[in-house]
Amino acid sequence: MQSISTKSASSGSGRPEQDPDRAPRAFAPADLTPLLAGAGVAAGCVGAAFALLDLTSPLRAPFVLFFLLAAPGFALSHWLRGLDGWSRAVACASGALVLDLLVAQAMLALHVWSIRGGVAAIAGVSALVFLSALARRLRHRAPSRRT
């Protein structure tokens, strides 16, 4: 007669047994990065939608402000890949603030200021900055063709 081991790979509930020597695994900050990035993109899109569609809500101001700081900051972050985390965050936040102020100053000087126009201008400039960084990265990655 064969002996049956008391320590099996799984219990009767269909779940693997916990090793008593190991503590339960905690989530690392890297595990939450995609989730936080997705939440940031969603909040930015909500802010842009509130401003562009002229919707009224008590959450309009915080979401629009988040969009005005996050969109240029995200776009600038791709140009600053060589910096460490905190330096990059400070440089992106400062650059986003400068970009917002330059757009506002240009719109005021041209007498075309509007909230919708400001949000659209920031979205357009941020898209151009991001696409230029992406194009530069792809150009440097492409193999050179020699004949």
Side-chain angles (χ1 to χ4, degrees), residues 72-129:
F74 173 74
L76 290 171
S77 70
H78 291 282
W79 280 103
L80 304 173
R81 288 207 178 266
L83 298 176
D84 64 358
W86 286 108
S87 301
R88 189 171 165 186
V90 169
C92 289
S94 302
L97 188 60
V98 167
L99 191 60
D100 288 338
L101 292 174
L102 285 174
V103 167
Q105 183 66 34
M107 291 179 75
L108 287 171
L110 297 172
H111 301 289
V112 292
W113 171 251
S114 72
I115 294 173
R116 284 175 152 174
V119 169
I122 290 295
V125 170
S126 297
L128 288 176
V129 169

Side-chain angles (χ1 to χ4, degrees), residues 37-53:
V41 168
C45 290
V46 167
F50 273 149
L52 294 175
L53 299 175

